[in-house]
Amino acid sequence: MKTLLPGVLGAALLASGPTLLGGAKDRTLDFYWIDSNGGGSTLIVTPLDESLLIDTGNPGGRDPGRIHKVATEVAGLKQIDHLIVTHLHVDHYGGAPELAALMPIRRVYDNGIPNRDPDGGNDAAWPIKIKAYREMPVGERFVVKPGTETLLKGADGGPAPSFTFVAGNKKLAINPANVFTFAECRDPNPKEPDPSDNANSVVTLVKFGSFRYFNAGDLTWNVEATLVCPVQQVSSVDVYQVTHHGFDISNNPLLVRQLDPTVAVFNNGPHKGCAPSVMQTLRSLPSVQGIYQVHRNLDAPEANQPRENCANDGETGGNYLKLSVAPDGRSYTVSVPSTGHTKSFRTRL
């Protein structure tokens, strides 16, 4: 695998040409939270229809089929230009081989494919489990290097989108020129150490003008704390994709308060994620003006936002959430196509 060097900008990819359905229509930066029933799958489309997909849901046809449908029929894409796989749990990487069979994937970024089960499980079964992902046809593969920023193509007169790897494999992108040291750095409620690959999740920050979006895959509590103490790695963002589907073994308030988001989005399932304590943490933040769910939590109704803020109501699903950032990067609108809800926000910066 190739290793990205800090500060190296992404090379220009093949141009697909503008379509009537993608971001190129109105020069917006579009986000789609696709329903993988509690798996990970967030599609981002730039003003010039360059695409970034973070995670691919489960194997088995449903999740890659839903991603392909939104990518091609809603966003008007012909290929996935950049795929980030945050970690090697099947609900995040499992759909990739099937998606690669449905449409070209130009570049894949991950922590590298180990020869042993990253969860310390059955090493004998690991080569079989990872075989399809290891062998899927893609253009190029890269190992994530924290600190790397990849600049995407911007429309004339508008800002250029970019994505930066803040962390991966528990390594941080420490920039001494842009840090703040905390006087006190003790987590008052640490969790037990997490030996799973969740703790290695890739952390990605997407920028577009003054707009900021944060995605940490399934990063867990103790590692989340390292993003803010003793050296601050992140600052306030506009949109927080709630980590680990909203489980309370993640979403450390030390980090969530530092991110101080305006909008939070749960990519959860009807029986997976969206924990009441995590929802309460978000509701307690004065900065939060909107919270959205891919699914209503059928096990804890008190954790749910109003119905209009949830893409899917019952056991079945397939509906997505959408967010569009204005061409100048200074405002954005969240929509729930299945309920007709829309709400607009100003960026923080």
Side-chain angles (χ1 to χ4, degrees):
M1 283 190 169
K2 297 180 180 180
T3 301
L4 294 174
L5 298 177
V8 175
L9 300 181
L13 301 179
L14 290 179
S16 299
T19 72
L20 295 178
L21 297 175
K25 179 182 178 183
D26 26 11
R27 295 297 192 258
T28 55
L29 179 72
D30 294 335
F31 290 71
Y32 301 90
W33 285 273
I34 301 167
D35 177 21
S36 50
N37 205 36
S41 45
T42 305
L43 176 65
I44 305 166
V45 183
T46 75
L48 293 183
D49 284 344
E50 196 169 359
S51 56
L52 168 64
L53 176 64
I54 303 179
D55 292 327
T56 60
N58 292 281
R62 181 197 65 197
D63 296 352
R66 288 176 176 175
I67 294 169
H68 181 257
K69 182 179 178 68
V70 171
T72 58
E73 297 182 19
V74 181
L77 300 174
K78 300 184 185 309
Q79 64 186 24
I80 299 298
D81 296 303
H82 307 269
L83 168 60
I84 298 171
V85 173
T86 60
H87 63 295
L88 295 180
H89 282 173
V90 71
D91 59 327
H92 290 256
Y93 80 86
E98 293 170 43
L99 182 63
L102 294 171
M103 63 192 307
I105 299 176
R106 295 296 312 281
R107 291 182 162 196
V108 176
Y109 310 79
D110 57 29
N111 282 324
I113 302 176
N115 293 323
R116 306 179 66 176
D117 186 341
D119 283 346
N122 187 343
D123 286 336
W126 176 248
I128 299 171
K129 184 177 179 181
I130 201 64
K131 177 179 171 63
Y133 177 74
R134 188 193 297 273
E135 297 180 358
M136 67 179 182
V138 298
E140 298 178 279
R141 289 181 181 261
F142 297 88
V143 174
V144 165
K145 178 77 172 179
T148 302
E149 180 180 30
T150 299
L151 190 66
L152 306 179
K153 293 172 287 190
D156 291 344
S162 69
F163 62 90
T164 300
F165 295 126
V166 177
N169 260 338
K170 303 189 188 75
K171 296 180 175 63
L172 306 176
I174 297 177
N175 178 4
N178 186 30
V179 298
F180 174 78
T181 302
F182 284 76
E184 297 290 333
C185 200
R186 184 180 65 85
D187 187 345
N189 299 296
K191 304 282 188 182
E192 291 296 320
D194 177 13
S196 80
D197 205 38
N198 286 330
N200 296 319
S201 289
V202 173
V203 180
T204 306
L205 181 68
V206 175
K207 303 177 186 177
F208 181 62
S210 59
F211 175 84
R212 302 288 185 269
Y213 159 81
F214 180 90
N215 183 316
D218 284 359
L219 199 69
T220 41
W221 190 280
N222 296 344
V223 184
E224 286 176 316
T226 69
L227 295 180
V228 294
C229 287
V231 178
Q232 182 180 334
Q233 305 299 313
V234 294
S235 57
S236 61
V237 300
D238 299 287
V239 178
Y240 172 47
Q241 180 162 326
V242 183
T243 303
H244 204 175
H245 321 289
F247 282 115
D248 58 9
I249 60 172
S250 300
N251 299 288
N252 189 326
L254 287 173
L255 173 61
V256 178
R257 286 195 296 265
Q258 182 62 44
L259 292 173
D260 201 33
T262 301
V263 168
V265 179
F266 286 83
N267 201 340
N268 64 307
H271 303 284
K272 181 178 180 181
C274 200
S277 62
V278 176
M279 184 65 80
Q280 183 53 42
T281 295
L282 291 165
R283 288 170 174 166
S284 71
L285 293 178
S287 65
V288 172
Q289 300 176 29
I291 303 175
Y292 295 87
Q293 299 166 238
V294 172
H295 275 272
R296 289 179 66 79
N297 184 339
L298 299 185
D299 300 323
E302 71 275 16
N304 291 315
Q305 288 297 102
R307 172 67 187 93
E308 65 178 4
N309 288 37
C310 304
N312 299 284
D313 191 19
E315 296 284 355
T316 59
N319 300 317
Y320 60 87
L321 299 170
K322 183 179 179 182
L323 182 151
S324 293
V325 188
D328 61 4
R330 295 178 181 175
S331 64
Y332 53 101
T333 298
V334 180
S335 60
V336 187
S338 62
T339 69
H341 168 85
T342 62
K343 186 174 180 179
S344 295
F345 307 86
R346 300 293 299 179
T347 55
R348 303 288 299 277
L349 300 178

